[in-house]
């Protein structure tokens, strides 16, 4: 069977990995650039790896993925088990449900009530907890080098005979349809590529490729910043855990080997609505990747305040080495979408990362292909269905905090 996978991010690569494992598929992956694609949400200095979920389905999947991160040859060299510190106010339901799920699965976690509780595990911890904060540490969690992971999987797929087509020849402009079938795609190079099965793994660009206005997916941009540390600071903070604060949405990583400190906000983000066609408006990222983005003032101020509370005033006031707007593909309930489109029998939609897809990289394809072939039970098929009529608004999964998503014009901030 000829398969066209549109998108070389974690959803497309993981699906190709599973199909390759099963055999019998002639796979071509299309994308604007050679993976790791510079502006994809799958690629950056690091990504959080955790099974810490309030939803037991993702908690179980996360534990399964952790085995891959620790043992699978494509993933194990890119995982760093720093541990993760989850903090929040006294009434943080997401944090407490995550702790309870892990406890039910027999995963040991250490409750945190005071600053000294943290320092007993991480002696160089700098800041003091706010009076109403508490949390826990899961020392099995950590972070992964996202860019190197994508390179590892891509190289393996090439060795297995998967074809990658990038640049104008791999940039999909539109789906070519006949009745209830997608017969192929048209690229920026004005080429037609056909296949028996089309997998739409295009992340935040998905809505722009679908023929009609849709309300299933929403592309939102999240602010990310980087600060260069001195060598002394890098050594001081190198054994920090990943931090995830459910009061502010702030999260940060231990510094990289070259002393780059990355931090971001897991919030409701920024939308970017554009006119795509007549009677069709969608929130989509800029089409052309940019090297750096000046963050909206609200986002920069909030990030600096959070950096100050964790790393001190001096580091928080330092110029950002780099900033970006990382686009998530949100679904209303933060569930993935692994399903055939309701109008096209051979268009499999594989997206909806909602800011938490990368950590499942080692097993994501198992579940997407399991839905594609209808091998999984109804629980999963219903959870990841394209159509969910009961969803009327974007409630997400309870992990987002901060201001609600609002519109902004990225052309005001982009630096080519």
């Amino acid at each position: 069977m000829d398969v066209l996978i549109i998108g070389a991010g974690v959803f497309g690569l993981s699906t190709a990995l599973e199909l390759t494992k099963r055999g019998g598929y002639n796979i071509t992956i299309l994308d604007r650039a050679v993976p790791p694609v510079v502006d994809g949400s799958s690629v950056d200095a690091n990504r959080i790896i955790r099974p810490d979920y309030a939803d037991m389905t993702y908690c179980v999947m996360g534990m399964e993925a952790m085995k891959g991160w620790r043992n699978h040859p494509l993933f194990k060299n890119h995982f760093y088990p720093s541990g993760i510190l989850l903090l929040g106010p006294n009434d943080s339901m997401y944090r407490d449900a995550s702790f309870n799920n892990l406890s039910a699965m027999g995963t040991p976690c250490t409750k945190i009530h005071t600053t000294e509780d943290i320092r007993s595990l991480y002696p160089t911890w700098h800041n003091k907890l706010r009076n109403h904060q508490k949390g826990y540490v899961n020392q099995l969690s950590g972070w992964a080098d996202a860019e190197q992971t994508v390179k590892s999987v891509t190289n393996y797929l090439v060795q297995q005979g998967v074809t990658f087509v990038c640049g104008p020849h791999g940039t999909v402009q539109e789906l070519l349809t006949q009745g209830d079938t997608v017969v192929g795609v048209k690229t920026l190079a004005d080429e037609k590529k056909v296949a028996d099965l089309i997998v739409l793994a295009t992340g935040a660009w998905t809505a722009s490729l679908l023929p009609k206005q849709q309300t299933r997916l929403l592309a939102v941009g999240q602010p990310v910043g980087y600060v260069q540390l001195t060598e002394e600071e890098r050594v001081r903070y190198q054994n920090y855990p990943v931090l995830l604060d459910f009061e502010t949405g702030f999260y940060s990583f231990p510094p990289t080997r070259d002393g780059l400190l990355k931090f971001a906000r897991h919030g409701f983000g920024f939308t970017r609505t554009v006119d795509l066609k007549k009677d069709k408006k969608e929130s989509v990222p800029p089409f052309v990747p940019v090297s750096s983005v000046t963050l909206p003032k609200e986002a920069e101020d909030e990030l600096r305040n959070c950096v100050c509370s964790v790393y001190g005033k001096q580091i928080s006031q330092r110029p950002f080495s780099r900033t970006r707007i990382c686009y998530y593909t949100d679904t209303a309930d933060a569930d993935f979408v692994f399903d055939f489109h309701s109008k096209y029998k051979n268009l499999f939609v594989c997206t909806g990362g909602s800011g938490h897809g990368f950590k499942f990289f080692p097993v994501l394809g198992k579940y997407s292909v399991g839905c594609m072939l209808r091998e999984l039970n109804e629980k999963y098929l219903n959870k990841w269905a394209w159509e969910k009529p009961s969803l009327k608004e974007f409630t997400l999964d309870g992990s987002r905090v901060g201001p609600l998503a609002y519109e902004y014009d990225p052309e005001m901030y982009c630096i080519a």
Side-chain angles (χ1 to χ4, degrees):
M1 175 184 286
D2 290 334
V3 180
L4 269 183
I5 297 178
I6 310 171
V10 63
F11 280 81
L13 294 175
S14 60
T15 298
L17 198 60
E18 180 67 18
L19 291 175
T20 299
K21 176 181 175 182
R22 292 167 180 254
Y25 297 92
N26 179 30
I27 304 169
T28 300
I29 299 179
L30 308 179
D31 208 306
R32 294 173 302 144
V34 176
V37 182
V38 65
D39 59 341
S41 62
S42 301
V43 179
D44 206 341
N46 31 39
R47 283 289 181 272
I48 298 175
I49 306 300
R50 61 178 172 92
D52 306 69
Y53 274 86
D55 184 324
M56 182 58 92
T57 297
Y58 293 112
C59 188
V60 172
M61 284 178 63
M63 292 299 293
E64 184 182 2
M66 291 296 296
K67 295 179 181 178
W69 285 111
R70 291 180 177 277
N71 301 308
H72 195 290
L74 294 178
F75 299 98
K76 65 180 183 180
N77 294 330
H78 311 300
F79 172 62
Y80 300 86
S82 63
I84 185 170
L85 170 61
L86 284 85
L87 294 176
N90 290 329
D91 59 351
S92 176
M93 296 179 63
Y94 189 96
R95 177 206 58 209
D96 292 344
S98 299
F99 179 88
N100 292 337
N101 283 343
L102 290 172
S103 297
M105 296 183 66
T107 301
C109 296
T110 304
K111 285 193 173 183
I112 299 298
H113 297 283
T114 67
T115 304
E116 291 309 312
D117 290 339
I118 303 176
R119 290 175 180 161
S120 68
L121 299 172
Y122 302 99
T124 61
W125 186 258
H126 171 76
N127 72 310
K128 293 184 179 180
L129 291 184
R130 296 183 287 274
N131 290 334
H132 60 279
Q133 279 187 312
K134 65 178 181 179
Y136 72 88
V137 169
N138 179 359
Q139 291 183 289
L140 295 180
S141 298
W143 60 278
D145 185 323
E147 181 177 357
Q148 293 304 316
T149 304
V150 168
K151 286 182 178 179
S152 175
V153 174
T154 299
N155 291 338
Y156 175 80
L157 290 173
V158 170
Q159 294 169 9
Q160 299 305 305
V162 173
T163 300
F164 284 81
V165 180
C166 304
H169 299 278
T171 303
V172 174
Q173 293 288 87
E174 62 177 312
L175 304 177
L176 302 176
T177 62
Q178 289 182 2
D180 63 354
T181 302
V182 178
V183 296
V185 300
K186 180 183 177 182
T187 71
L188 186 60
D190 201 28
E191 294 177 337
K192 178 180 177 181
K193 298 184 182 297
V194 299
D196 305 304
L197 172 65
I198 310 294
V199 178
L200 200 59
T202 41
W205 288 267
T206 304
S208 66
L209 291 173
L210 293 173
K212 296 182 179 180
Q213 184 84 16
Q214 57 82 50
T215 58
R216 187 71 177 88
L217 307 169
L218 178 66
V220 297
Q222 305 291 338
V224 182
Y226 306 77
V227 163
Q228 182 64 50
L229 300 181
T230 65
E231 177 60 17
E232 179 183 357
E233 291 166 341
R234 185 195 70 80
V235 172
R236 182 188 312 157
Y237 300 121
Q238 67 180 346
N239 293 320
Y240 260 34
V242 171
L243 169 66
L244 182 52
D245 187 337
F246 286 114
E247 181 175 12
T248 62
F250 178 77
Y251 64 93
S252 62
F253 296 85
T256 61
R257 290 190 183 93
D258 56 358
L260 196 65
L261 177 67
K262 175 190 168 183
F263 41 85
R265 185 176 67 194
H266 184 65
F268 295 96
F270 307 99
T271 56
R272 176 183 178 266
T273 302
V274 298
D275 292 310
L276 296 172
K277 299 177 182 177
K278 182 181 179 181
D279 300 325
K280 178 175 168 61
K281 294 183 178 182
E282 299 284 359
S283 176
V284 294
F287 181 74
V288 179
V290 292
S291 59
S292 188
V293 173
T294 300
L295 300 178
K297 186 176 187 306
E298 173 274 328
E300 178 175 346
D301 290 346
E302 182 62 21
L303 285 180
R304 290 193 182 280
N305 288 337
C306 291
V307 171
C308 183
S309 70
V310 179
Y311 295 96
K313 184 175 182 181
Q314 183 180 11
I315 292 177
S316 72
Q317 294 181 341
R318 197 167 295 171
F320 287 161
S321 302
R322 181 184 169 222
T323 54
R324 70 175 294 206
I325 296 291
C326 179
Y327 278 87
Y328 292 177
T329 317
D330 283 349
T331 60
D333 52 6
D335 279 334
F336 304 146
V337 177
F338 297 144
D339 196 8
F340 285 93
H341 193 278
S342 56
K343 296 186 182 301
Y344 303 104
K345 61 184 181 182
N346 68 327
L347 179 64
F348 187 75
V349 183
C350 183
T351 189
S354 301
H356 69 114
F358 186 91
K359 60 182 62 65
F360 300 105
F361 204 164
V363 300
L364 201 62
K366 167 187 170 182
Y367 288 94
S368 66
V369 174
C371 289
M372 179 191 296
L373 302 180
R374 293 301 190 258
E375 295 173 343
L376 301 184
N377 64 37
E378 289 297 319
K379 166 190 169 183
Y380 294 109
L381 297 179
N382 292 334
K383 187 174 184 63
W384 297 321
W386 169 252
E387 289 194 337
K388 285 188 173 181
S390 61
L391 291 178
K392 301 298 183 183
E393 58 185 15
F394 273 67
T395 57
L396 297 169
D397 62 354
S399 67
R400 306 281 183 93
V401 297
L404 295 178
Y406 63 87
E407 188 82 8
Y408 89 113
D409 179 4
E411 275 66 35
M412 293 173 58
Y413 305 108
C414 294
I415 303 173

